[in-house]
Amino acid sequence: MTAHSRDTPQFYLTAPSPCPYLKGQFERKVFTHLVGENAAHLNDLLTHGGFRRSQTIAYRPACESCRACVSVRVRVDDFVWTKAFRRNRAINADLVGADVGANPTSEQYSLFRAYLDHRHSDGGMADMTVLDYASMVEDSHVRTRLTEYRRRGPDTAINGRGAGPLHAVALVDRLSDGLSLVYSFYDPEQRDRGLGTHVILDHVQRAKALGLPYLYLGYWVSGSNKMDYKRRFRPQEHLSPIGWTLLND
């Protein structure tokens, strides 16, 4: 039997299962484990190649009859601030995003639970417990952080943090050339704020402030209404068989 190094990635293929985005389609994924001292570097390389991270797993679609899932990243230096985006920023000007490290809390889980129950009650994460949530945040060998969004408070100018209840949370990986939004959730009752859009816009600005050229948004799925919102953030590049190419339509 051949012995493999812990730092040498081994890739596996899942069995077919119903696609969560396109009715009548079946998905398969190729995946590997992100463990050991080279996990952050491997996550970097795999993200550039169209993989996404979930805890200590990096995966990408490997469907036999469908190529609808396309990796998307936004060019932050040339980002187009549309009238709708500027309006969103004005509506949420009272919110402050604070980096709280990879530290899950019961308050975050309560918001996470409310978001899932309202928006994704039939999704793959619907049964996640508070321990599952903590594992999603903490079970990682890569550079990952949480951003919490709260209203501005009396001490915001001093500590850079808001006060009061949570409005939104984002789990974000730091890559060599950008930030990767792993998962985000928000108060589903505050529909008028457009909090999902706000989180993306805020991380466009955060990536630019860090001197990073890209914000990775995961997969856009052609034919899926759930994923169509990602096309609004321009300019953006899609990963194709010839590499990352600028979307022109």
Side-chain angles (χ1 to χ4, degrees):
M1 180 180 295
T2 302
H4 294 286
S5 166
R6 177 180 171 84
D7 293 324
T8 301
Q10 304 299 305
F11 291 88
Y12 309 90
L13 187 64
T14 65
S17 61
C19 176
Y21 301 110
L22 300 177
K23 187 176 181 180
Q25 293 286 354
F26 286 83
E27 68 170 1
R28 300 190 78 177
K29 295 176 181 176
V30 60
F31 70 94
T32 189
H33 296 277
L34 295 170
V35 294
E37 295 180 357
N38 292 329
H41 178 61
L42 180 60
N43 186 45
D44 220 74
L45 292 176
L46 292 177
T47 301
H48 295 161
F51 280 70
R52 292 289 286 167
R53 184 182 71 82
S54 178
Q55 295 174 248
T56 59
I57 297 292
Y59 67 91
R60 67 170 296 173
C63 306
E64 296 174 355
S65 61
C66 179
R67 295 291 183 271
C69 294
V70 179
S71 293
V72 174
R73 67 185 186 186
V74 178
R75 291 186 179 182
V76 302
D77 287 337
D78 305 316
F79 186 71
V80 177
W81 287 90
T82 65
K83 183 182 294 185
F85 288 159
R86 293 195 298 271
R87 183 166 58 249
N88 181 280
R89 293 294 285 172
I91 291 171
N92 293 294
D94 61 331
L95 297 184
V96 175
D99 182 332
V100 296
N103 299 306
T105 66
S106 58
E107 184 185 19
Q108 293 167 13
Y109 178 72
S110 294
L111 184 64
F112 175 72
R113 187 74 266 159
Y115 173 79
L116 288 181
D117 291 345
H118 190 274
R119 297 288 299 270
H120 303 286
S121 60
D122 59 347
M125 304 174 81
D127 296 329
M128 286 182 65
T129 67
V130 66
L131 293 179
D132 294 328
Y133 172 75
S135 180
M136 181 176 78
V137 176
E138 295 177 325
D139 192 5
S140 171
H141 295 254
V142 306
R143 296 169 292 182
T144 192
R145 317 284 288 183
L146 287 165
T147 308
E148 290 187 343
Y149 295 86
R150 305 176 192 268
R151 289 181 184 271
R152 294 183 181 276
D155 298 324
T156 296
I158 299 173
N159 59 26
R161 298 192 177 194
L166 271 176
H167 285 59
V169 177
L171 180 63
V172 186
D173 287 352
R174 170 74 180 264
L175 306 175
S176 62
D177 67 346
L179 298 178
S180 176
L181 279 171
V182 177
Y183 197 75
S184 63
F185 52 95
Y186 49 86
D187 184 350
E189 298 299 325
Q190 299 192 52
R191 299 181 185 88
D192 294 341
R193 279 187 176 270
L195 289 169
T197 296
H198 174 68
V199 168
I200 294 175
L201 296 178
D202 183 58
H203 280 86
V204 165
Q205 292 187 313
R206 287 170 181 266
K208 186 170 184 176
L210 290 168
L212 300 172
Y214 300 112
L215 177 66
Y216 289 81
L217 297 183
Y219 300 119
W220 168 69
V221 184
S222 177
S224 171
N225 292 333
K226 290 182 180 179
M227 292 295 184
D228 213 40
Y229 72 92
K230 294 183 181 182
R231 290 171 62 88
R232 298 186 294 125
F233 301 90
R234 303 291 187 100
Q236 66 179 237
E237 297 179 0
H238 288 189
L239 185 59
S240 72
I242 62 171
W244 290 95
T245 58
L246 182 65
L247 179 67
N248 291 313
D249 66 9

